[in-house]
Amino acid sequence: MRLKKILLILWMLIIPLIAFSETGERLWLRYNPLPDDVQARYAGLVSVYFEPGSSTVNVARDELNKAFRGLIGGRLQFQDNIKKSSLLIGKEISSKADVDGLDEALKKCGSEGYVIKSAEIGGRNKIIISANTDAGILYGTFAFIRMMQTGRSPGNLNIIEKPKYDLRLLNHWDNLDGTVERGYAGHSIWWNREKDFDDLKEHYRIYARANASVGINGTVLNNVNADPQVLTHDYIEKFARFADLLRPYNIKVYMSVNFSSPAIIGGLEDSDPLREEVRQWWKQKVAEIYDLIPDFGGFLVKANSEGQPGPQDYGRTHAEGANMMAEALEPYGGIVMWRAFVYSPSGDDRAKQAYNEFVPLDGKFHENVIVQVKNGPVDFQPREPFSPIFGAMEHTSLMIEFQITQEYLGFSDHLAYLAPLQKECLESDTYVKGPGSTVAKTTDGSIFNQAHSAIAGVANIGRDINWTGHHFAQANWYAYGRLAWDHTLAADNIAVEWVKMTFSHAPDFVQPVLNIMMRSREAVVNYMTPLGLHHLMGWGHHYGPEPWTDIENARPDWLPRYYHNASEYGIGFDRSESGSNAVEQYSEPLRSMFNNPGTCPENLILWFHHLPWDYRMSSGLTLWDELCYHYYHGVEEVRLMQKKWDRLAGMIDQERFDHVQHKLKIQAREAVWWRDACLLYFQTFSGMPISYELERPTHDLQELMELEFDMTHHN
Ligand code: GCV
């Protein structure tokens, strides 16, 4: 009896801990009670007229209900009468109530945008959320919830939103065996699961809600290094199940396909895109897909890239390959996203190759082909200039591909808020049509009349309970979605939204965390690859520093030495006119600016130039000293981030606080590892001392060169 009593007491003590345990699973849709003053602003809005509609409208309605219940503890009272309601939501509001300017506003928000408006109807103040489609209602509702979550006042609203890109996609690099290429948050949420689909539905719904909340409207469910099996009937059925589940959230599914599928799973002699039999095979396959998934989005293709098959295997061009698939998809409204990530080991400077291959094909792609271009000309480095393809293919739909998973920025162990990186690229001026021709504008349809505007982000999502491994990596999923919707949003504003939604509204929490986030990406650049250095990481894992790596018979363009070219003379990749002349691919005045070390931005100087160690930087320091200061600064920045975080103890739940604290310790240690490895190695060439006012390296080069990196901790 006594034992029972003790157990009962223990149970009562444990229950609240379970209830309040913060795993991060709920992402930024936690809906915990808002501060009292914010609650008070929304308390008068519980009476809602929600126009009935499709399953998408039901999703919006349920979400609003859930949000009100959690955020202000109030149950919504759904009314069928506009008069009694203070919040009016639906496509037909303007035909039911006289709302000044609503029709005009709706004309501006396209097929997925929305209007949120304050209005006086019948002498009473009301808020209207309206749109032209159910998708717009969904996004408008989520936007309203975000206003609540971030504490914005619901007075005097006149919001008209229209997404800048039509297609806003996640790319999952998930293999059918459940592993994830460059995934650092556990195995695939989609493939090879032990649990039944039905048992996972709730989990998938969190994914779907999170995406809908930021406007992501498409997802590629498998790796671009595509397994041909994905096109077998079994897998198409699996795709159909996911499509059914995601449809109400306005998310279409897309598939990465292997170019050799006709030969590999279709039993054809080859996969030559100009052979009728092959073309027919794709047409039948596409028909089979649309039979099960009537709103299937289309294909993503990595062809003739890093060993993947492609049209060039048959002497055909990328355009011929892409157009064959486009023809099969066209009758159903499907699209082909054809990646421009191509480079061959024997060719010219790797940074030039994609441009050289794709720009001559401008105008040769069918209308439903979008060429998908990575943000930089090499490969998702902590800093790269923008890819010169942007702006150079006026007659082709181009989409930008960002990497949300941190393949080259410390996996899910390092805190690196990526919105500043993405903004830097989107706002880069290509000058192709004069000043102001930013990468964003060359891809969103505002400069070129391209048939489709689209954007993709390589997902950082896995089976980890918090979805992304690092709690702060959730911010990168969130921010990518927000920028895909509106690339003019500021990185710091997005960060504040996310912090408030995910952690706390307390200003003495929000401000330091914002500060940590906003300096984090530059910190990574500094301790890994400052001043335009790139590709200094280990061969297989891409995690730690290995500027020295030399592997017998390896492709030179997979070795760091190809990029840093360190010698007794100096360091850097000469891409000026006297080198590979990659600068030529940029429009003036960029070409001349990049070409001259005196005018090249210093944060890219070693990307474009090979310079002597004693080259004078604008600071007056030698290049060597400047490099040292940048590496040391990167380390100091992480230490500062640590200090700022530690001060926040007690302000949020212990679980997430400890988790982030632990990750920051790893990051601080590894920043020193990067700094010491790179500087000690480059010092063997420069022969110059690390300025004595700086802390001494804590490692020996030999020790670091012998270090065996264990990937198992980092998956
Ligand atoms: C999916 C880099 C990565 C590869 C990736 C490739 C790509 O090279 O290391 O893992 O493959 O980019 O984007 O296709």
Side-chain angles (χ1 to χ4, degrees), residues 343-529:
Y343 60 103
S344 82
S346 50
D348 203 348
D349 169 7
R350 171 172 169 186
K352 290 172 67 182
Q353 293 187 36
Y355 179 104
N356 287 345
E357 260 190 61
F358 275 84
V359 174
L361 297 176
D362 187 23
K364 300 214 162 70
F365 291 95
H366 282 195
E367 202 172 277
N368 59 332
V369 176
I370 312 179
V371 174
Q372 180 166 318
V373 183
K374 288 190 182 184
N375 60 292
V378 171
D379 193 10
F380 300 137
Q381 296 299 293
R383 170 164 284 120
E384 295 189 33
F386 68 87
S387 164
I389 298 179
F390 296 116
M393 295 180 71
E394 211 172 305
H395 307 288
T396 307
S397 298
L398 288 191
M399 67 193 282
I400 189 161
E401 175 179 331
F402 287 118
Q403 194 180 47
I404 311 171
T405 190
Q406 293 168 229
E407 175 179 358
Y408 300 104
L409 288 97
F411 295 5
S412 56
D413 285 331
H414 295 202
L415 193 165
Y417 175 50
L418 298 179
L421 181 159
Q422 295 169 3
K423 286 287 288 182
E424 183 174 295
C425 175
L426 289 162
E427 283 173 3
S428 292
D429 202 338
T430 68
Y431 290 94
V432 286
K433 295 281 170 194
S437 314
T438 60
V439 168
K441 287 189 179 160
T442 64
T443 50
D444 72 0
S446 46
I447 292 188
F448 302 131
N449 188 21
Q450 48 183 57
H452 300 279
S453 72
I455 183 163
V458 180
N460 59 351
I461 297 161
R463 251 177 250 184
D464 277 6
I465 184 73
N466 72 2
W467 297 92
T468 56
H470 199 307
H471 286 291
F472 275 79
Q474 295 181 357
N476 290 333
W477 175 5
Y478 179 82
Y480 161 73
R482 295 288 285 134
L483 286 174
W485 179 275
D486 182 357
H487 55 67
T488 68
L489 294 174
D492 53 354
N493 290 342
I494 299 175
V496 170
E497 285 176 7
W498 177 80
V499 176
K500 285 184 170 174
M501 294 159 91
T502 309
F503 286 111
S504 160
H505 277 228
D508 35 351
F509 181 84
V510 175
Q511 279 313 313
V513 173
L514 172 65
N515 191 290
I516 290 173
M517 290 172 79
M518 289 306 288
R519 57 206 317 152
S520 60
R521 180 271 185 141
E522 203 59 34
V524 176
V525 170
N526 277 318
Y527 64 73
M528 287 187 180
T529 50

Side-chain angles (χ1 to χ4, degrees), residues 173 181-182 223-225 302 306 339 341 374 379 407-408 542:
W173 284 356
E181 183 153 349
R182 314 302 177 188
N223 190 359
V224 288
N225 289 326
K302 173 174 176 179
E306 299 188 327
R339 293 175 92 230
F341 178 63
K374 288 190 182 184
D379 193 10
E407 175 179 358
Y408 300 104
H542 290 184

Side-chain angles (χ1 to χ4, degrees), residues 16-299:
L17 289 181
I18 297 174
F20 292 106
S21 108
E22 282 285 4
T23 58
E25 187 187 15
R26 291 178 296 158
L27 294 158
W28 50 89
L29 302 175
R30 291 159 71 246
Y31 300 153
N32 280 13
L34 289 166
D36 291 346
D37 56 327
V38 184
Q39 289 204 23
R41 292 182 202 149
Y42 286 88
L45 295 170
V46 289
S47 230
V48 183
Y49 171 80
F50 214 121
E51 203 178 270
S54 65
S55 55
T56 299
V57 168
N58 292 342
V59 162
R61 187 181 146 117
D62 286 353
E63 195 71 31
L64 190 70
N65 208 8
K66 211 181 282 173
F68 262 85
R69 212 175 325 141
L71 294 168
I72 69 168
R75 247 173 217 288
L76 287 182
Q77 295 148 20
F78 288 105
Q79 314 283 355
D80 44 20
N81 181 332
I82 283 188
K83 276 197 196 131
K84 288 192 193 150
S85 316
S86 38
L87 192 53
L88 317 180
I89 306 176
K91 290 182 292 190
E92 308 295 337
I93 302 295
S94 74
S95 64
K96 296 183 179 124
D98 186 18
V99 186
D100 214 22
L102 182 55
D103 283 331
E104 281 310 302
L106 285 171
K107 282 187 196 136
K108 295 185 192 148
C109 62
S111 63
E112 287 184 313
Y114 54 83
V115 177
I116 306 181
K117 218 173 153 32
S118 308
E120 205 190 284
I121 301 174
R124 291 178 60 185
N125 287 332
K126 301 188 191 281
I127 292 178
I128 288 122
I129 304 177
S130 193
N132 298 312
T133 61
D134 291 346
I137 295 296
L138 177 73
Y139 296 141
T141 306
F142 267 113
F144 185 74
I145 295 171
R146 182 165 56 242
M147 284 173 45
M148 297 173 76
Q149 288 177 288
T150 53
R152 184 168 163 183
S153 157
N156 269 333
L157 300 171
N158 192 12
I159 299 169
I160 305 173
E161 282 280 328
K162 180 181 176 189
K164 293 272 190 293
Y165 291 104
D166 294 336
L167 307 176
R168 305 171 296 277
L169 268 67
L170 283 180
N171 288 182
H172 290 268
W173 284 356
D174 292 19
N175 298 313
L176 303 184
D177 66 2
T179 56
V180 180
E181 183 153 349
R182 314 302 177 188
Y184 315 109
H187 275 55
S188 166
I189 59 169
W190 309 114
W191 307 115
N192 204 10
R193 305 234 28 176
E194 281 128 27
K195 287 189 186 167
D196 283 343
F197 178 73
D198 284 339
D199 296 334
L200 289 164
K201 276 185 174 165
E202 269 322 301
H203 197 60
Y204 289 135
R205 284 195 187 110
I206 302 179
Y207 168 90
R209 289 169 51 225
N211 282 328
S213 77
V214 287
I216 288 170
N217 64 2
T219 181
V220 184
L221 301 179
N222 64 313
N223 190 359
V224 288
N225 289 326
D227 187 330
Q229 294 306 316
V230 75
L231 279 168
T232 57
H233 197 75
D234 270 6
Y235 275 102
I236 296 174
E237 277 178 343
K238 288 182 180 156
F239 267 72
R241 272 195 328 201
F242 292 128
D244 290 344
L245 195 134
L246 298 173
R247 187 169 297 113
Y249 301 84
N250 197 44
I251 301 169
K252 282 188 180 179
V253 301
Y254 296 75
M255 185 189 279
S256 295
V257 293
N258 184 301
F259 196 81
S260 287
S261 301
I264 301 174
I265 61 160
L268 302 194
E269 204 178 304
D270 61 38
S271 302
D272 181 349
L274 295 196
R275 220 149 59 76
E276 196 43 41
E277 219 186 335
V278 172
R279 299 173 86 83
Q280 281 310 321
W281 187 88
W282 281 106
K283 283 187 179 152
Q284 276 160 20
K285 223 359 126 186
V286 166
E288 184 184 335
I289 295 174
Y290 278 92
D291 194 34
L292 293 183
I293 316 173
D295 56 355
F296 177 67
F299 293 150

